[in-house]
Amino acid sequence: MRLLARKTVSQQTYKAQIYVTLRPSVLDPAGTAVASGLQQQGYTGVEAVRIGKYIQLTLTTDTEASAREQVDRMCHQLLANPVIENYSFELQQLATTVGG
Amino acid sequence: MRLLARKTVSQQTYKAQIYVTLRPSVLDPAGTAVASGLQQQGYTGVEAVRIGKYIQLTLTTDTEASAREQVDRMCHQLLANPVIENYSFELQQLATTVGG
């Protein structure tokens, strides 16, 4: 009888919530238009409207550190433009799948 | 000597963070394109990308209840399209100004 050395790989699924905002020094014409539209509709106390992106995704990987590192890289490469935008994100673990 | 009845009006400034997302039953072609772009760049564990809006604004009003009610109305009337989008928001008190 042979013993097989088997490594158990467990995969975790995470939900990432990513917030992409314009850097404070960058003008936001869409936000200014929305602020002025709201003020014209009677919301006179409204100011400083800034419009960003809210991206949700799920990511399956082996560790939380790896998930965090991947989401950070995705933001930097594709989801945000680091020249004019900032980003932040939250991770939430959804499920664990244990494979052989 | 006359006593003047004076009502002190204090104005609060709130920061609202508003999240506008497509309803789950509505297709998100931009999200699908981003998911496919990420997968092609090697992020094979990525799924279910949904792109929404993240709106920040400040609002000056007298009570938190009024701020909450105003932001809810703004979302319904202008910031979100209730036919295809859901919204949620958080309020955070920034400052109090006491006027005469």
Side-chain angles (χ1 to χ4, degrees):
Chain A
M1 189 177 146
R2 232 171 10 137
L3 284 175
L4 288 174
R6 259 198 146 183
K7 194 179 162 214
T8 302
V9 182
S10 74
Q11 292 278 302
Q12 326 274 339
T13 300
Y14 297 90
K15 178 176 175 177
Q17 296 179 287
I18 301 165
Y19 311 94
V20 180
T21 51
L22 281 172
R23 285 182 185 272
S25 58
V26 177
L27 287 177
D28 181 355
T32 309
V34 167
S36 132
L38 286 169
Q39 283 157 5
Q40 278 167 28
Q41 290 194 20
Y43 301 102
T44 50
V46 171
E47 272 179 3
V49 180
R50 306 281 289 176
I51 301 180
K53 279 180 286 184
Y54 171 53
I55 303 167
Q56 294 167 292
L57 55 83
T58 65
L59 177 61
T60 303
T61 181
D62 48 355
T63 63
E64 182 172 337
S66 152
R68 201 164 285 282
E69 186 267 330
Q70 283 191 47
V71 172
D72 194 59
R73 244 178 329 122
M74 283 178 217
C75 287
H76 201 80
Q77 289 180 357
L78 194 89
L79 303 178
N81 176 350
V83 178
I84 56 165
E85 290 172 328
N86 287 326
Y87 61 83
S88 63
F89 61 87
E90 290 160 16
L91 281 184
Q92 182 194 348
Q93 187 170 337
L94 292 182
T96 304
T97 324
V98 181
Chain B
M1 189 179 144
R2 228 167 18 133
L3 283 175
L4 286 174
R6 258 199 147 179
K7 195 180 160 210
T8 302
V9 182
S10 75
Q11 292 278 302
Q12 327 274 338
T13 300
Y14 297 90
K15 178 175 174 177
Q17 295 178 289
I18 302 165
Y19 311 94
V20 180
T21 51
L22 281 172
R23 286 181 185 272
S25 59
V26 177
L27 288 176
D28 181 356
T32 310
V34 168
S36 133
L38 287 169
Q39 283 157 5
Q40 278 167 28
Q41 290 195 21
Y43 301 100
T44 49
V46 170
E47 273 179 2
V49 181
R50 307 280 289 177
I51 302 180
K53 279 179 287 184
Y54 171 52
I55 302 167
Q56 295 167 292
L57 55 84
T58 64
L59 176 63
T60 303
T61 181
D62 48 356
T63 63
E64 182 172 337
S66 153
R68 199 163 285 284
E69 186 266 330
Q70 283 190 48
V71 172
D72 194 60
R73 247 181 323 126
M74 283 178 218
C75 288
H76 201 80
Q77 288 180 357
L78 194 90
L79 303 178
N81 176 350
V83 178
I84 56 167
E85 290 171 329
N86 288 326
Y87 60 84
S88 64
F89 61 87
E90 289 160 16
L91 281 186
Q92 183 194 346
Q93 188 170 337
L94 293 183
T96 304
T97 323
V98 180

